[in-house]
Amino acid sequence: MKSPSTLRTLREHGAPDGKIASLAIVLLAQVAAMGVWFSSTTAVALIKRTQAIASGDEAMLTGAVQLGFVIGTVVSATLALPDRYDLRRIFAASALMAALSTGALAVLPPTGPVVILLRLITGICMAGVYPVGIRLVATWAKADLGLLIGLLVAALTLGSASPHLVGGLQDLDWRWVYLAAATLAVASGVAIGFAEIGPNIKRASRVDFTKVTQAWRDPAVRLANLGYLGHMWELYAMWAWLGLFLQYTLHLHGVADFHEKAEMLTFAVIAFGAVGAWAGGMLADRLGRTLVTMGAMALSATCAAVIGWLPAAPLALVVGVAFVWGFSVIADSAQFSAAVAELADPTSVGTLLTAQTCAGFLLTLASIRLVPVIVAHLGWQGGMGVLAIGPALGCVAMWRLRQHPASLRMAGGKR
């Protein structure tokens, strides 16, 4: 995850003792723990090879995790848990509980009410992993906040791509997917205890319900969150439906074994986004958060508006646009979190980061459901094109943030 140039950057910023080791632990723990989130997507792809799964059951398996995450982040943000308690203990407890709820799936039927409940619990637990991991990383930031969170998002991106890699494999029992994810989550919960918390942390002494309202009351934080919502409108819907779009495209071109090849291509496109997250972080720390987020969203919105018209175009062109989209759609993601961390009251950073992810993932529930409805009526042109609306509006929000005096607190005054 860390290239030599990245390590040099961390050292140039005067890395305190324990910083690089702690960041490495957090990043590895994050990757390991997030496997439980994507395990159902992978398992379902394998189960469908041997037995039928109702579309409603499949949707519930994947949607329950996101719904659980929203519930968990609402509770966590309202009670200001990341700003009041040891971040490592929250992370460890969440990862271990997620491991238990995921491992139990290996001895249950593939679908059913109990399975859905366990996936919901897993999503709730993820509220103590992903935003808490961002907060942990931010405690070590000096002039490299965008890079550090960018590395964390890169790890998430690789995890998001992994189901498509497994989907292209043969003869793997779906139960081993759940067992492997649970085992990694246990290792994650143990490993996080060896990480240290950085010096950039101020704890809240009590629950203050007005803290979470800063997400909207503070004009600068509100604009950063609106930019994030524009980004999230596109991101997960693109990740969710790109594979089906590529299957359609490869089949249209008469490619043999188009299903497996589309899965591998989707993995490559989404995984390439990890490079985008890293590059976006490096550039944002040097050029400014608003500039990088506007550039990335403008590029990804263009790809979304164009790619739906290209299935009959030369295959190389479709694949090229897909890779540009995979890179740009995630390149800005970490910078919205970095912006909130820099703009928020220091005693409420964890709360506002959790609230931000809550709102973003809640919005994805709508955009993911909307795409197939529009495709059914307007084809892929409309289905992919509607995703361009989010980043286009996000560009407007970040442009307004760039004009706000508080933006000078971001990226060392580079806005």
Side-chain angles (χ1 to χ4, degrees), residues 281-300:
M282 294 283 285
L283 289 173
D285 288 335
R286 288 166 169 74
L287 304 177
R289 312 231 183 275
T290 58
L291 189 63
V292 168
T293 52
M294 287 189 295
M297 284 191 289
L299 184 55
S300 66

Side-chain angles (χ1 to χ4, degrees), residues 120-177:
L120 185 74
I121 292 171
T122 298
I124 293 172
C125 293
M126 288 297 96
V129 172
Y130 179 51
V132 169
I134 294 176
R135 182 66 184 113
L136 265 170
V137 163
T139 66
W140 287 103
K142 190 174 181 181
D144 53 358
L145 180 60
L147 169 62
L148 298 186
I149 301 180
L151 290 172
L152 200 68
V153 172
L156 172 66
T157 303
L158 291 175
S160 301
S162 61
H164 298 285
L165 177 63
V166 176
L169 301 178
Q170 301 290 334
D171 302 324
L172 180 64
D173 191 315
W174 60 270
R175 295 174 182 82
W176 286 107
V177 173

Side-chain angles (χ1 to χ4, degrees), residues 141-146 200 214-215 217-224 284-285 287-290 335-349 352 398 400-415:
K142 190 174 181 181
D144 53 358
L145 180 60
N200 302 332
Q214 292 178 46
R217 287 189 297 106
D218 185 305
V221 175
R222 179 171 67 242
L223 288 170
D285 288 335
L287 304 177
R289 312 231 183 275
T290 58
Q335 304 319 309
F336 301 107
S337 299
V340 166
E342 291 166 327
L343 295 169
D345 178 340
T347 63
S348 59
V349 171
L352 292 184
M398 296 311 286
R400 291 182 61 190
L401 177 57
R402 187 175 180 83
Q403 312 309 310
H404 197 285
S407 64
L408 290 170
R409 300 207 301 268
M410 299 188 302
K414 295 183 282 293
R415 299 180 187 271

Side-chain angles (χ1 to χ4, degrees), residues 213-238:
T213 63
Q214 292 178 46
W216 188 256
R217 287 189 297 106
D218 185 305
V221 175
R222 179 171 67 242
L223 288 170
N225 284 328
L226 288 174
Y228 178 72
L229 290 176
H231 154 75
M232 288 295 283
W233 171 263
E234 176 191 30
L235 176 63
Y236 273 79
M238 181 270 197

Side-chain angles (χ1 to χ4, degrees), residues 260-324:
E260 289 78 11
K261 290 178 181 176
E263 288 287 346
M264 299 303 290
L265 181 57
T266 304
F267 165 76
V269 169
I270 296 177
F272 188 53
V275 180
W278 166 79
M282 294 283 285
L283 289 173
D285 288 335
R286 288 166 169 74
L287 304 177
R289 312 231 183 275
T290 58
L291 189 63
V292 168
T293 52
M294 287 189 295
M297 284 191 289
L299 184 55
S300 66
T302 301
C303 292
V306 167
I307 198 167
W309 298 87
L310 299 180
L315 198 54
L317 177 61
V318 183
V319 172
V321 172
F323 271 98
V324 173

Side-chain angles (χ1 to χ4, degrees), residues 31-263:
V31 174
M34 292 300 288
V36 299
W37 185 312
F38 308 110
S39 58
S40 276
T41 306
T42 307
V44 165
L46 297 172
I47 293 167
K48 287 167 67 176
R49 293 179 179 176
T50 58
Q51 64 186 84
I53 294 182
S55 59
D57 289 339
E58 182 178 352
M60 286 294 291
L61 276 172
T62 54
V65 182
Q66 283 185 281
L67 179 60
F69 181 80
V70 171
I71 294 171
T73 50
V74 167
V75 173
S76 179
T78 303
L79 299 179
L81 298 182
D83 291 313
R84 295 171 54 220
Y85 298 104
D86 189 313
L87 296 166
R88 296 163 298 184
R89 292 185 179 181
I90 297 174
F91 190 111
S94 300
L96 293 174
M97 180 60 71
L100 183 62
S101 61
T102 300
L105 297 175
V107 297
L108 292 171
T111 60
V114 176
V115 173
I116 299 301
L117 177 61
L118 289 172
R119 295 309 289 156
L120 185 74
I121 292 171
T122 298
I124 293 172
C125 293
M126 288 297 96
V129 172
Y130 179 51
V132 169
I134 294 176
R135 182 66 184 113
L136 265 170
V137 163
T139 66
W140 287 103
K142 190 174 181 181
D144 53 358
L145 180 60
L147 169 62
L148 298 186
I149 301 180
L151 290 172
L152 200 68
V153 172
L156 172 66
T157 303
L158 291 175
S160 301
S162 61
H164 298 285
L165 177 63
V166 176
L169 301 178
Q170 301 290 334
D171 302 324
L172 180 64
D173 191 315
W174 60 270
R175 295 174 182 82
W176 286 107
V177 173
Y178 287 132
L179 289 174
T183 301
L184 288 172
V186 170
S188 170
V190 173
I192 200 68
F194 294 94
E196 298 177 37
I197 297 177
N200 302 332
I201 189 166
K202 291 187 178 180
R203 296 198 185 281
S205 58
R206 59 185 177 86
V207 175
D208 182 352
F209 295 114
T210 65
K211 292 283 189 183
V212 72
T213 63
Q214 292 178 46
W216 188 256
R217 287 189 297 106
D218 185 305
V221 175
R222 179 171 67 242
L223 288 170
N225 284 328
L226 288 174
Y228 178 72
L229 290 176
H231 154 75
M232 288 295 283
W233 171 263
E234 176 191 30
L235 176 63
Y236 273 79
M238 181 270 197
W239 280 356
W241 296 110
L242 179 66
L244 192 61
F245 169 78
L246 290 175
Q247 286 181 37
Y248 170 77
T249 300
L250 294 184
H251 180 61
L252 190 66
H253 282 264
V255 175
D257 300 322
F258 66 91
H259 181 276
E260 289 78 11
K261 290 178 181 176
E263 288 287 346

